[in-house]
DNA sequence: CGGGATCCGGCTTGATACTG
DNA sequence: CAGTATCAAGCCGGATCCCG
């Protein structure tokens, strides 16, 4: 489980490298950091959640995109899906242990950005101003 | 600069919240975690870099997308662009202090994923196997 | 070398409708 | 509630040409 080696897509004795075009880690990174992936994972860090509640936490996501995002994350072992065959149906989504680790690193980034948006906004004004109003 | 407040898009007295549909932090997060954004920021963490060298580090990115990505990151104050009006022209890109902080958090996520891809790959096999070959 | 401008095909996305 | 199916639109991204 430590220092795994990419046995098929990144070369014989080479560890996974996201900068390599064909490395599967790039795919997973995209699932996790994708438009809805990062928000979904971040929202689930607050605890298990049902489908429609998740939709409310992640403002703006459509049913289709949330469903699609959750499937990709479940396949990658980031999210666990628990369905109870009751009526009405009840399905809970939660992070796996792997997902929790991912979420914490993602949230560190998110919170840092949230905490420094004033700097970003200032930079934007400077940038937009410098290039003559364009 | 500490505990900034979103004065226009997230409500009067409320800090920036990436889960809110209209919060500008969501936009910046997408620039940073976007398909090429994360790899570009990660690659620049190794040090300043010229355009075409960056293209080589980030395998698979087109000129157009790299250019576009760099502009967005520069506007957000993540990347600094230094052009020397020589001939042939020489342009160096580097992370700003803000960008370095962002990159470190991003790389923490990337390295964690790279180091746990075997678990992801196993999860995928299980997932694909369970749902009867579909 | 370091890009900008343009064209264009296709995948992604978002409504909408429907199912269990 | 928890999704899937369908479809049109639009944006993404690559290829190409051009410029400084």
């Amino acid at each position: 489980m430590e220092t795994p080696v990419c046995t098929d897509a990144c070369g014989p004795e080479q560890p996974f490298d996201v900068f390599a075009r064909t490395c599967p880690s790039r795919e997973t990174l995209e699932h996790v950091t994708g438009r809805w992936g990062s928000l979904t994972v971040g929202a689930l860090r607050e605890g298990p959640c049902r489908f429609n509640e998740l939709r409310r936490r992640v403002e703006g996501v459509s049913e289709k995109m949330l469903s699609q995002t959750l499937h990709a994350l479940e396949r990658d072992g980031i999210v666990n899906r628990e369905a109870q065959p009751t009526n009405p149906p009840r399905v809970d989504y939660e992070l796996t242990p792997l997902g929790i680790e991912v979420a914490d690193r993602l949230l560190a980034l998110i919170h840092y950005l949230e905490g420094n948006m004033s700097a970003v906004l200032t930079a934007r004004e400077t940038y937009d101003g410098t290039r003559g109003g364009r």
Side-chain angles (χ1 to χ4, degrees), chain A:
Chain A
M1 202 172 284
E2 302 299 275
T3 63
V5 171
C6 185
T7 55
D8 54 271
C10 292
E13 297 300 329
Q14 200 177 346
F16 293 98
D17 177 14
V18 81
F19 292 101
R21 212 176 325 104
T22 59
C23 187
S25 65
R26 187 181 282 199
E27 198 182 334
T28 299
L29 179 65
E30 278 169 27
H31 292 159
V32 167
T33 62
R35 180 165 182 199
W36 302 116
S38 57
L39 297 176
T40 301
V41 170
L44 281 174
R45 189 61 180 91
E46 294 174 28
C49 193
R50 301 176 63 177
F51 186 83
N52 278 310
E53 191 192 338
L54 206 46
R55 264 196 81 191
R56 263 169 262 127
R57 286 195 199 173
V58 182
E59 292 185 19
V61 69
S62 67
E63 290 183 357
K64 179 182 174 180
M65 282 303 102
L66 181 57
S67 174
Q68 193 170 304
T69 300
L70 285 168
H71 279 312
L73 293 173
E74 188 193 356
R75 194 170 99 97
D76 284 349
I78 308 285
V79 161
N80 191 26
R81 180 194 138 108
E82 272 180 73
Q84 298 168 39
T86 60
N87 194 313
R90 179 190 178 92
V91 181
D92 283 275
Y93 292 93
E94 63 183 357
L95 293 176
T96 63
L98 179 69
I100 291 177
E101 297 298 316
V102 168
D104 284 343
R105 284 158 179 81
L106 205 45
L107 285 171
L109 173 64
I110 288 176
H111 291 149
Y112 181 82
L113 281 177
E114 288 177 341
N116 288 272
M117 277 309 293
S118 58
V120 170
L121 263 24
T122 301
R124 283 190 194 171
E125 285 176 26
T126 302
Y127 183 92
D128 293 343
T130 307
R131 335 255 138 169
R134 274 239 80 241

